[in-house]
């Protein structure tokens, strides 16, 4: 990780002599609408795992390195070989504004039944930029499109001029087919700002809540928070939202909101609560680094009386249990 909080890229590193991974971890497989509500880091992990290292090596003509890189708000899957580089990420994209994301001229494409566009440059370095929409719906909470950039420093390993565009098509097919599979229906929105009805949902074991799509992580955070508050749920207004936020209040002395977001700046977490690193308080806000292996933090905005520390001390073990 670099000093400015970026995960380093291998683009200028030594020659890749054997396939390897960096910053990769196993995550639950999701697809369709549920996948588009994954955090940027979880989505990047999922993308990197859509094909085996062997298949990536076949497509990129040699050993590859798969890794997660970027900033907290723009994490991507990066796959590199000695001649090629592929960047894949999810993004909230309005297809009507595609010109701001890729160059011109461009052409329509379709993979696994999903539409997109690509702009290809056949002058060295050879490059293809574009996107494919994974679901028809786009909201402020989900990342509905897969964006990509494929760069080749040399086409020496390719036997015909169309080989580069064929390779781009093969990569997109291998990535998009598993991601575009329909998911089960999302929880229904019942109010403004993506509000859903509260359904008590135990948190995924061992901090697995960090990889759960936002609508489900909101339900899990609400469930753990109610238990940590130790009050009768019937006295509370419990509001899980599609963007992963949980808001709880009783209209009097209890008011708290919490959510999970990617974060690669571990060095800022200089204090400890419940055995986990936390950032120094900013007014009513505390951030907790929930798992050592995941660049994500739990945000707790505490509007109730007193300090939030006792609440966090009860909440964190509930999220990490199992």
């Amino acid at each position: 990780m670099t000093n400015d909080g970026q995960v380093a890229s291998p683009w200028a590193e030594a020659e890749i002599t054997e396939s390897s991974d960096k910053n990769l971890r196993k995550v639950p497989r999701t697809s369709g609408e549920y996948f588009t509500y994954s955090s940027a880091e979880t989505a990047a992990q999922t993308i990197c795992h859509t094909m085996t290292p062997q298949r990536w090596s076949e497509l990129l003509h040699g050993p590859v390195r798969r890794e997660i890189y970027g900033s907290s708000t723009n994490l991507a899957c990066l796959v590199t070989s000695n001649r090629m580089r592929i960047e894949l990420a999810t993004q909230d994209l309005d297809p009507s504004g595609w010109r701001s994301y890729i160059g011109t001229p461009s052409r329509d494409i379709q993979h696994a039944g999903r539409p997109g566009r690509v702009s290809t440059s056949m002058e060295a370095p050879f490059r293809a930029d574009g996107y494919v929409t994974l679901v028809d719906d786009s909201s402020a909470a989900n990342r509905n499109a897969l964006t990509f950039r494929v760069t080749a420093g040399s086409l020496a390993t390719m036997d015909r001029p169309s080989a580069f565009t064929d390779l781009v098509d093969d990569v997109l097919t291998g990535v998009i087919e598993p991601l575009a599979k329909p998911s089960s229906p999302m929880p229904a929105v019942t109010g403004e700002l993506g509000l859903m009805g509260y359904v008590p949902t135990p948190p995924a074991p061992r901090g697995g809540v960090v990889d759960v799509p936002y609508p489900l992580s909101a339900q899990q955070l609400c469930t753990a928070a109610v238990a940590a508050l130790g009050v009768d749920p019937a006295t509370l207004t419990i509001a899980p939202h599609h963007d992963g936020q949980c808001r709880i209040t009783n209209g009097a002395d209890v008011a708290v909101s919490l959510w999970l977001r990617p974060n690669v700046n571990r060095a800022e977490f200089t204090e400890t609560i419940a055995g986990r690193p936390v950032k120094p308080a900013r007014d009513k806000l505390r951030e907790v680094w929930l798992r050592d292996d995941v660049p994500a933090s739990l945000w707790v905005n505490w509007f109730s009386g007193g300090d939030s520390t006792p609440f966090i001390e009860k909440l964190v073990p509930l999220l990490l249990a199992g």
Side-chain angles (χ1 to χ4, degrees), residues 12-13 16 42 44-45 64 93 111-112 126 145 160 170 174 177 192-193 207-208 210 221 242 277 294 309 313:
E13 291 184 1
I16 300 173
T42 300
Q45 295 282 357
V64 297
L93 175 64
H111 290 274
F126 306 92
R160 61 192 187 283
D170 288 343
E177 280 188 350
E192 296 181 351
L193 302 175
V210 299
L221 291 174
H242 256 202
V294 182
T309 298
E313 287 176 336

Side-chain angles (χ1 to χ4, degrees), residues 59-72:
L59 292 174
L60 274 66
H61 302 277
V64 297
R65 176 176 295 127
R66 301 180 301 172
E67 70 167 296
I68 308 303
Y69 90 112
S71 64
S72 294

Side-chain angles (χ1 to χ4, degrees), residues 157-221:
T157 59
M158 302 186 183
D159 58 3
R160 61 192 187 283
S162 63
F164 179 66
T165 55
D166 289 348
L167 179 143
V168 173
D169 287 341
D170 288 343
V171 168
L172 293 178
T173 297
V175 170
I176 293 168
E177 280 188 350
L179 297 182
K181 292 179 179 178
S183 63
S184 55
M186 294 288 290
V189 173
T190 59
E192 296 181 351
L193 302 175
L195 177 66
M196 303 176 291
Y198 172 56
V199 179
T201 308
R206 296 177 294 280
V209 65
V210 299
D211 289 320
V212 173
Y214 286 144
L216 299 185
S217 69
Q219 299 283 7
Q220 295 183 11
L221 291 174

Side-chain angles (χ1 to χ4, degrees), residues 86-209:
I86 300 175
E87 301 172 60
L88 299 149
T90 52
Q91 191 167 122
D92 178 15
L93 175 64
D94 179 358
S96 65
W98 60 266
R99 288 182 178 83
S100 64
Y101 294 90
I102 63 176
T104 55
S106 64
R107 60 184 174 87
D108 291 331
I109 56 175
Q110 188 172 89
H111 290 274
R114 299 307 311 169
R117 291 191 71 87
V118 63
S119 172
T120 305
S121 171
M122 295 304 292
E123 297 180 1
F126 306 92
R127 196 172 81 179
D129 297 272
Y131 70 87
V132 175
T133 57
L134 298 173
V135 294
D136 296 328
D137 176 57
S138 175
S139 74
N142 77 345
R143 303 163 72 90
N144 67 312
L146 176 82
T147 59
F148 61 89
R149 171 169 292 178
V150 182
T151 309
S154 169
L155 298 186
T157 59
M158 302 186 183
D159 58 3
R160 61 192 187 283
S162 63
F164 179 66
T165 55
D166 289 348
L167 179 143
V168 173
D169 287 341
D170 288 343
V171 168
L172 293 178
T173 297
V175 170
I176 293 168
E177 280 188 350
L179 297 182
K181 292 179 179 178
S183 63
S184 55
M186 294 288 290
V189 173
T190 59
E192 296 181 351
L193 302 175
L195 177 66
M196 303 176 291
Y198 172 56
V199 179
T201 308
R206 296 177 294 280
V209 65

Side-chain angles (χ1 to χ4, degrees), residues 293-314:
D293 62 328
V294 182
S297 58
L298 171 67
W299 292 43
V300 179
N301 225 355
W302 182 257
F303 300 103
S304 306
D307 182 28
S308 62
T309 298
F311 170 72
I312 295 174
E313 287 176 336
K314 295 177 181 178

Side-chain angles (χ1 to χ4, degrees), residues 216-289:
L216 299 185
S217 69
Q219 299 283 7
Q220 295 183 11
L221 291 174
C222 280
T223 302
V226 168
L229 287 169
V231 298
D232 182 358
T235 67
L236 301 171
T237 298
I238 306 169
H241 292 256
H242 256 202
D243 65 358
Q245 289 196 53
C246 168
R247 301 173 184 175
I248 299 176
T249 182
N250 67 355
D253 59 340
V254 173
V256 62
S257 61
L258 53 160
W259 61 98
L260 289 155
R261 287 296 180 267
N263 193 328
V264 297
N265 299 312
R266 175 69 179 266
E268 298 178 353
F269 291 70
T270 57
E271 300 178 3
T272 303
I273 298 177
R276 299 305 307 156
V278 299
K279 288 178 68 171
R282 289 182 290 161
D283 194 16
K284 302 290 186 180
L285 177 66
R286 300 304 299 263
E287 291 183 55
V288 183
W289 198 281

